[in-house]
Structure formats: structure tokens, C-alpha cells
Amino acid sequence: DLARVDRELENKRVIFVGATPYTRIAPAFFMKNYEIFCLKDCLEIKDLRQYANIYCLEQELPAEIDKIKSTTEIIQHPAFLNYLEKYRRRYSLLFYMMGGVLYKKLKENKLPYLANHPMIARDVLYKASFRQILKDLNLPTLPDKLMSKEEFLAADYKTLAKEFGQSFVCQRGDYDTGGQRGTFFVHQAPDLKMVKDNYQKEANFTPHHFEG
């Protein structure tokens, strides 16, 4: 009963939570009480605010931005909890994907959400396994290469650019929390060095779980 669903949604706020707002704006075109709580201050926020209320943490508390690396960390941040408390209206939180850690924290904090159980997405949670499913189904994909952490750190920009083009994307194949550590755009050698420096600091890699 879509009419009943619409009435229910009008009685509460739906808040999409994530790093950036532009990929989360679509529901604003058909939902009346739709808002976005985002982490990053992006140039398009000014234009997007004509469609939805957008709270940007970096705009309000710029010093906090480097401390938060995932959606799970956003929902535990005092600024986010104060944001929810301020309005004292019924709400549900909306997310791209419900990972196990995020699911656990939502339950612990008794935060209402709109999402499937994380077990439903277990086969597509990690980028590496998701790409393998696409290949098994013979679906078209961009060229990619699965590398271990050691292989990636040993690779140079010239070699990778020859294989994938001057600009390419580096992603953690085993990373499920997104945020600011999962995906990097490389356009020149210094960009690749930045990615390597980032991953050298990470200690939670598992074998053959880097995707470039």
C-alpha cells in the first residue's frame, strides 16, 4: 500500500547519513520530510539545499572532520546525537548499505533505521568479491586488477598508468565501511604516493585484498 507508506513517511523525518550529500539527494525529489547529515563540505551543498535540509559536519565543526572515517563513526559522534536530539521528532536513519559493525552500533544506541539486515548483502559487501560476481555473470566492468598490499606498494605510477590510463581508481578490496579511507582517485605520481602512504599506516589488511 504505497499511499499508506507515504503517509507514514510524512509523519517522521528520514535522514540519510553518509560522507557526501550529492549521491544521497534523489529521495528529496519524492519525500517531503527528507534530510541529509553529511561529513564533507562539498561545493554542491549550496545548490542541493534547495531540495533538502543538509547538515554538514565539516561546515559546523571543521576540526572534527579528520577524526571520523566511516558512517559508523558518524552515528556515534556527539554532534550527530545532538542533531537528532535537537528536533525531538520521529525519525528513521537511511544508509547505502548496512554493514555488521554499523548494524551493531545502531542496535546498541537504539537508533531507528531503514535498511536490510547486513546478512543480505554479505556476498557483495567487499569490493573484491562484488567484482568477482560481476565477472562470473559476464557483466561488463571496467578493467581492474586484484593486488596484495605488498604488490601494490611495489608498483610504480608509470606501470599502472600504462595498464589503466593516466587516471585510475585505487580501492581497498576488503573494506566495508567506506568513508574517507576506501577509495582514492589517482591522476599523477604524487597521488599514488599519497595512497601508498595511507595504506602503509593501515595494519588490518588481509592477503590479496587490495583492488586497483
Side-chain angles (χ1 to χ4, degrees):
D1 186 346
L2 294 179
R4 186 174 69 84
V5 171
D6 284 340
R7 290 194 298 271
E8 286 292 319
L9 290 175
E10 288 180 9
N11 291 329
K12 65 173 67 175
R13 292 184 298 147
V14 174
I15 307 169
F16 210 141
V17 185
T20 56
Y22 61 92
T23 53
R24 296 168 172 87
I25 197 62
F29 300 131
F30 57 87
M31 296 176 65
K32 293 182 179 179
N33 296 322
Y34 178 73
E35 302 177 18
I36 298 173
F37 188 102
C38 68
L39 183 64
K40 299 289 290 182
D41 184 9
C42 307
L43 293 176
E44 66 273 5
I45 287 181
K46 181 179 178 181
D47 294 325
L48 294 179
R49 280 188 169 129
Q50 66 181 302
Y51 304 108
N53 292 324
I54 300 175
Y55 181 98
C56 176
L57 187 60
E58 187 173 16
Q59 289 181 347
E60 302 294 333
L61 298 170
E64 296 293 299
I65 194 70
D66 290 332
K67 302 176 184 178
I68 304 174
K69 302 298 183 181
S70 70
T71 304
T72 304
E73 293 176 8
I74 292 177
I75 67 165
Q76 299 176 87
H77 195 280
F80 178 73
L81 298 176
N82 290 339
Y83 168 81
L84 296 179
E85 181 68 19
K86 178 180 178 181
Y87 295 96
R88 292 183 173 274
R89 286 179 54 197
R90 293 174 62 201
Y91 64 86
S92 290
L93 305 179
L94 186 62
F95 306 92
Y96 268 149
M97 182 179 287
M98 181 65 67
V101 177
L102 177 59
Y103 178 79
K104 180 180 178 181
K105 292 301 179 182
L106 288 168
K107 291 291 187 181
E108 288 177 357
N109 293 300
K110 297 180 179 179
L111 295 173
Y113 61 89
L114 297 171
N116 292 319
H117 191 280
M119 289 297 288
I120 294 176
R122 61 182 178 179
D123 293 333
V124 296
L125 186 59
Y126 299 113
K127 296 177 180 69
S129 57
F130 176 68
R131 285 186 174 273
Q132 187 57 51
I133 290 174
L134 296 179
K135 293 175 182 177
D136 292 342
L137 294 172
N138 293 319
L139 294 174
T141 63
L142 292 173
D144 68 272
K145 184 176 183 179
L146 189 64
M147 305 170 67
S148 68
K149 178 181 178 181
E150 292 72 22
E151 289 175 308
F152 171 69
L153 294 178
D156 62 86
Y157 173 76
K158 185 178 294 186
T159 300
L160 294 176
K162 183 177 181 180
E163 185 171 358
F164 297 106
Q166 182 177 346
S167 296
F168 52 89
V169 177
C170 295
Q171 292 182 312
R172 281 281 297 269
D174 64 338
Y175 207 69
D176 68 332
T177 55
Q180 306 305 300
R181 292 180 293 190
T183 301
F184 296 91
F185 294 88
V186 176
H187 304 286
Q188 52 189 339
D191 297 333
L192 182 62
K193 182 181 183 305
M194 180 271 293
V195 182
K196 289 184 177 183
D197 290 343
N198 181 282
Y199 286 130
Q200 281 181 320
K201 298 174 184 176
E202 298 284 348
N204 61 340
F205 276 85
T206 53
H208 305 297
H209 274 164
F210 182 86
E211 183 177 315

